Amino acid sequence: MSLFIIVALPFFGALLPGVMNAAGRAACAGVTLMVSLAAFLGLLTNLPALLAGEVVTARVDWMPTLGLNFTLMLDGLGFFFAFLILGIGLLIISYARHYLSRDDHMGEFFTYLLLFQGAMVGIVLSDNILLLLVFWELTSLSSFLLIGYWKHLPEGRQGARMALAVTGMGGLAMIAGMLILGQIVGSYDLSVILQNREAIQADPMYVPALILILLGCFTKSAQFPFHFWLPHAMAAPTPVSAYLHSATMVKAGIFLMARMWPVLSGTPEWFAIVTTAGLVTMVLGALIALFKHDLKALLAFSTVSHLGLITMLLGTGTAFGAMAAVFHILNHATFKAALFMSAGIIDHEAHSRDIRRLGGLRRLMPVTFAIATLAALSMAGIPLLNGFLSKEMMLEEANHTVLFGSYWLVPVLATFGALLSAAYSFRLIGHTFLGPVRDDYPSAPHDPGPGMWLPPAFLVVPVVVIGVAPFLAEPFVRLVTASVLGEAAALPDAHLKIWHGLVPALYMSVIAVVGGLLLMGVFKPLLRVWETAPRPEAKVIFESIVDASVATARGLVLTLHNGAFTRYASITVLAILGLGYHAWSTGTLSAPTREMQAAGAVPIAGLLMLVAATVGLVVLHRNRFLALIFIGIVGLMVSIGFVFLSAPDLAMTQFTVEVVTIILMLLALNFLPKTTPVESSALRHMRDAGLALAGGLAAFSLAFHFMMRDAVAIPISEFHLANSYKGGGGTNVVNVILVDFRGFDTYGEIIVLGIAALLIFALTETLLGGPVRARLLNRNPDQPRAGNMHPTMMVVLTRVMMPVVLMVGFYIFLRGHNEPGGGFIAGLVVSIAVVMQYMASGFHWASDRLRYPYHGVIGAGVLVAGFTGIGSWFVSKPFLTSDFTYVRIPPFEKFELATAALFDVGVLLAVVGAVMLSLESFSRLARRSDMQESEYPMDIDPSRAGLPSQDADAVRTEE
Amino acid sequence: MTHWIIAPIILPALLAPFIVLAARYHIGIQRVFSVVGVLALITIAAGLAWNTSDGSILLYQLSDWAAPFGIVLVGDRLSTLMVLLTAVLALFVLLYAIGSGWDDRGRHFHALFQFQLMGIMGAFLTGDLFNLFVFFEVLLIASYGLMIHAGGNARLRAGVQYVLFNLIGSTLFLFALGSIYAETGTLNMADLANRVQLIGPKETTGIRVASVLLLLVFAIKAALVPLHFWLPSSYAEAPAPVAALFAIMTKVGAYAIIRVYTMIFHPGLEVTSGLFDLWLLPAALVSLAIGMTGVLAARSLDRLVAYSIIGSMGMVMVAISLFNPAGIAAALYYIVHSTLAGATLFLISDLVRTGRGNLDLIPQPAMAGTALTAGLFFAGAIAMSGLPPLSGFLGKLLVLEAAYATNLMVWIWAIVLGSSLVSILGFARAGSVLFWKSHSVELGEELPERTAPAMLSYVAVGGLVTLLALHTVFAGQVHKYTTTMAVQLFAPEPYIATVVETPGKLSKPKEDH
């Protein structure tokens, strides 16, 4: 079967359990089993090729530009691990079928399990290290879900996050390591990398790469000092512990070390780091395991210890060490998975995993006893079981290993580790199964149905068979070892045998077993010593580190983003000023190319007024009304400034904009208190003043700099000046720029204006229904209201003014193309004409006479402008291309008709609509339900029948 | 004469006023026009992307005036890709807005939405700096309208900050434009690229300041620390679909930086050396660190997502500020990813809000629609924190590889990977509280209002996740394309020649040139 299918099967199969969940537990587990089985059989179909010495590969390009490709490779090592993963997976699935209770969502469980299985198979079959990283991180993620499967358990959630944090960190380090490795070799394909041992080990980046990759391996395989997460991951359901944390995931790190062995091992750095870490882990793990009361915790630390053992073997860098490692991986997987499942059975039946509450189960659970005892004895290294063989090889290898110049360090520690290992194995058997039968089990223990004990029993078979007849396993171990070694070393001439003669390893083994038995004799006093001795609690440390980082993160980020706009603005302004100054100070300056102009008395007076008004605004801004007046002065001075600088269009625009703005702001003032409160301290005022001065100075310097210098080439405005009549048909360059040269900008800007108005409308609309409006309406006006809200004189005046102003607007609109004016200014003028009516006769009266809603006017304006632009498409010209012609209608002079004028109509409409909609929105806000709406244009109307003054009185008294 | 290239701008610009004019009281009609409009946009954008994929430059001279005197729109690989990305994102956001009913909670949602699209499309397509300013204004004002859509005190307060902050940006933009025009006498980007070559080494102050100010404008848009302060509260307070659409807005800043600082003030330009090449990368790294730290620090899901956007923009900026083709290619791949992932997460946070009543990261009873929402959150978190198998991981690899053997490699690698870890922790904590701890919380007396999200909402989010998956599966093709894009960006001569040399109305014959 293609390798792709083997990898893909679990992933796609992961969809099935969820679907089948409703069909019942058997069906759900059944499909999961079928998926795994299919992949397993698929793997076996590749065995013949493998035995023939081939390496099976498959390749599909994924990201060739990055070097990340979907390349898979099946050699001895890959087959070995895939076999373990899928084979034990099958047993785990059938075990889990019976282990999970009816309350557990089985579909979810098997989905995660299959995802995990796929990721694991992916790791061991990857021929591309980046692809391997993908699968690597996937195992972290899927194990996160599996460990946290029992969501209601806080231990599960914490264990899951801890596992994710630790293995995630290692994974990230490994990303860096793998990338460096790939950069050294120039390829991310394993098959290429494995050929480049010399190049890699000679590269200066070798050590960083090695450390980073080992970080990944050590975290995943729970090597010291990253061993602490594994026991906490035991909060997962037992099938998960048996699968992930004994047989597969924790072996991923080991796998990778074996995979990279040909290129990474053999250097002093590799030897020192890997052997030391392995040795320390082995002893430390075994020591902790000895004193654990929770069966799963004991097994977890024993797993840590055995992983350390394998790591140490790989660290030695010899071919024999590698062979011993391979053999022990196989043996450990069998007996440890069986032990975990047995622990699960005990937990399941006796409702406790606490060794102190167990004992005497030998009679009550004979089958379980037999299975667990065989597996545990193998773990202890008793002859005729497979654990003995690989431990012998380990001790043999340790005997030849010189660490830090010491000949005895490794052998002694290895023996000590083996001794502890024997001790906790004996404790497991003795304290759980032996001893008297108790009468205080949480639940009456008995052997489970075959569904649960068959899988571990199945695993014990190889434990015994290999133990008795190791030569059966030898060809396989040699095959796998050969692929670990690659071309880096020759296959050792060693054989798997029970009896090697009276070699030192045998003595060490004897010491270990006997020592282990003796240790059990003095266990109770030892336990008391252990329990009184201070030792770091990894979980507490980890949690406090995480809590501290969260607190630090909060201290940093939440303090920085405290929501104060003044702080945000000042940091921003500082950054702009600082970087601007940096650019300024590192540049070069030549002499100015322009002369300073003489300033007359009038401009200086104007400027002084401008400055005075601005200063006044800053000082007196708390009085909102005064502030408005100052703003008005500033605006007027700017308009006059435009006149002085020969920009009449700008002046007109600025002037009309000022008028409309002030009216709108006056309306807004209606809803605000007269003064603003003092909110910042004097110190902060000083800071802000300093920033403002610096900003002003910077703006001045920049403007002055550019005013004294010519551009490096002729500005484009020269072209506009030269061609506005010839190409745009207008003598007013500003208007031609607005509607023709850069009409598209104008198009955008009228849309901005329209949106602004819609926005004001939408804003007030939401306010109308909300609590804010109630507050607004209930406020006490801080000034007395005028008695006569719609004075007769004003009404009369505005009615008379209206046609005149409209005429002015029309005139301004028409002359726009050639003289100062245009649609924008005309629009503002027209708006003023209408606004005056509102002011004179009130909102109600005016809006009753409104025939076209302002939304529509805005929409129409934008549409007219848009369709004018599109019109030019019909003559195959780009958007907004203008054309003009001269026509003569008899009584008038010859005049010009330009399509740009139509565009200007759009501008006019949009401006009128926008201004009026904003005004209307503000006015709506001010309307009060209790306010008597006058249907007349003015309060006192001599021509009206009846007694109008009473109306006015009525209004007054109600207020 | 084809007009397709202006269509992405004109279509929404006509639809929006039409909706305001004719359909402002009919949400159903608005929805139909909005969706059909976006579908048409996608089609047009795909056509444009296809037309430019061979490297050709599409030029459109508005009002028939040649550059630099008139405004031009320019379509190349980069701009059409961004247009396509925007259109596709808009579809899913729109579907979500309709499905969740957000569009009916205030006035003028669809009109503002279309105007917003118009602004974004214009910003991507224009070849003129002042026109870019205009489109920045359009998208700013429309985004402000969308942001405060449906009102509420917190939202309005955040909106005020947003608009004030962006006014600082707009003012700065005007200063930058004024400086550039005073120095060079032009506003057309291609013409500018030619004219900055004329500036001698003896008079560099002006252009140096101008180029820095312009970069800062774009950096504000791209939420580069320390110019990012507008982002967290406004994105968190904005209605979720709006925040999701905003995922593309930060990219407008990134796009503008890529465009201007590879074509005009490119790394080889003498007069502006020693500026952004000095501080942009550190600032980007700080953004990445601060953003992802914020993921760990956040007390509510919407803030968490907002901070992750800052971090993700930091990542984009790291890649950009390498200023080499590999970096830009990585940045472009990551931009697509980050847009989709950010939008997905914002929509998911709204699913959580719908099902749970609030977004506080404290244990509460199980929410409505947990399983599906949890699954989507898991996918979104994986994408954003850059874990396999989604595209964030590939993007991260690309950035790391592009940074290999650069001066700051150790810093870049350490911060990229370290911030990744921090964000994993942050997302894991948040997900654990939201979806797992709820199982151990007793049902209290007072529960906030909770409903199961609508099917269409799930379809929209699922669609975005699918896009992320496709972005991963076809990563090879996409990255190959972004690489050709980067090559095109670093060889802008055809772009410049097309823009500057194509004659328009009243252009002098070419031999005068």
Side-chain angles (χ1 to χ4, degrees), chain A residues 148-278:
Chain A
Y149 174 72
W150 279 331
K151 304 171 182 66
H152 52 278
L153 293 182
E155 300 83 28
R157 298 195 296 264
Q158 287 158 3
R161 278 195 282 120
M162 191 195 277
L164 184 68
V166 177
T167 59
M169 181 193 75
L172 290 167
M174 209 168 77
I175 292 177
M178 292 296 198
L179 282 173
I180 296 177
L181 200 61
Q183 292 288 342
I184 295 174
V185 178
S187 165
Y188 291 110
D189 282 343
L190 262 175
S191 36
V192 180
I193 291 171
L194 293 180
Q195 307 293 322
N196 282 285
R197 179 186 171 96
E198 285 75 22
I200 291 169
Q201 299 197 349
D203 200 279
M205 294 298 275
Y206 164 74
V207 176
L210 175 72
I211 292 174
L212 291 166
I213 292 175
L214 285 180
L215 262 178
C217 296
F218 286 0
T219 49
K220 201 77 158 183
S221 285
Q223 294 301 293
F224 179 82
F226 308 108
H227 59 284
F228 55 88
W229 68 266
L230 183 59
H232 294 287
M234 293 299 152
T238 301
V240 174
S241 314
Y243 195 32
L244 274 65
H245 307 125
S246 70
T248 54
M249 188 177 84
V250 290
K251 297 256 170 66
I254 304 279
F255 166 80
L256 196 66
M257 283 191 268
R259 188 44 107 200
M260 293 289 177
W261 196 89
V263 286
L264 294 184
S265 77
T267 60
E269 294 88 1
W270 166 277
F271 177 64
I273 299 172
V274 179
T275 310
T276 313

Side-chain angles (χ1 to χ4, degrees), chain B residues 376-459:
Chain B
L376 290 169
F377 177 81
F378 193 63
I382 285 176
M384 189 48 99
S385 49
L387 284 176
L390 290 176
S391 42
F393 178 71
L394 303 177
K396 191 163 64 185
L397 288 185
L398 288 173
V399 174
L400 291 176
E401 204 187 49
Y404 192 80
T406 55
N407 291 336
L408 291 177
M409 170 189 164
V410 176
W411 284 99
I412 297 174
W413 281 37
I415 291 178
V416 167
L417 294 171
S419 64
S420 200
L421 179 68
V422 173
S423 77
I424 292 171
L425 283 181
F427 276 111
R429 280 173 68 90
S432 170
V433 168
L434 288 175
F435 302 107
W436 284 357
K437 268 195 189 165
S438 56
H439 289 264
S440 49
V441 174
E442 297 296 320
L443 284 171
E445 305 230 325
E446 275 184 41
L447 283 178
E449 192 190 341
R450 311 126 50 87
T451 41
M455 201 56 222
L456 189 57
S457 308
Y458 280 119
V459 169

Side-chain angles (χ1 to χ4, degrees), chain B residues 322-373:
Chain B
L322 295 172
F323 284 119
N324 59 32
I328 297 288
L332 293 172
Y333 180 84
Y334 199 85
I335 280 176
V336 177
H337 156 79
S338 152
T339 307
L340 298 174
T344 310
L345 279 174
F346 272 118
L347 296 186
I348 290 169
S349 78
D350 196 54
L351 290 179
V352 173
R353 194 200 304 265
T354 316
R356 194 169 181 257
N358 62 47
L359 289 175
D360 300 333
L361 291 177
I362 43 173
Q364 281 173 10
M367 66 185 79
T370 304
L372 205 47
T373 308

Side-chain angles (χ1 to χ4, degrees), chain A residues 529-550:
Chain A
V529 174
W530 174 263
E531 280 178 347
T532 48
R535 53 185 185 279
E537 183 59 54
K539 184 176 169 183
V540 176
I541 298 173
F542 178 82
E543 288 291 326
S544 62
I545 289 178
V546 171
D547 288 346
S549 6
V550 173

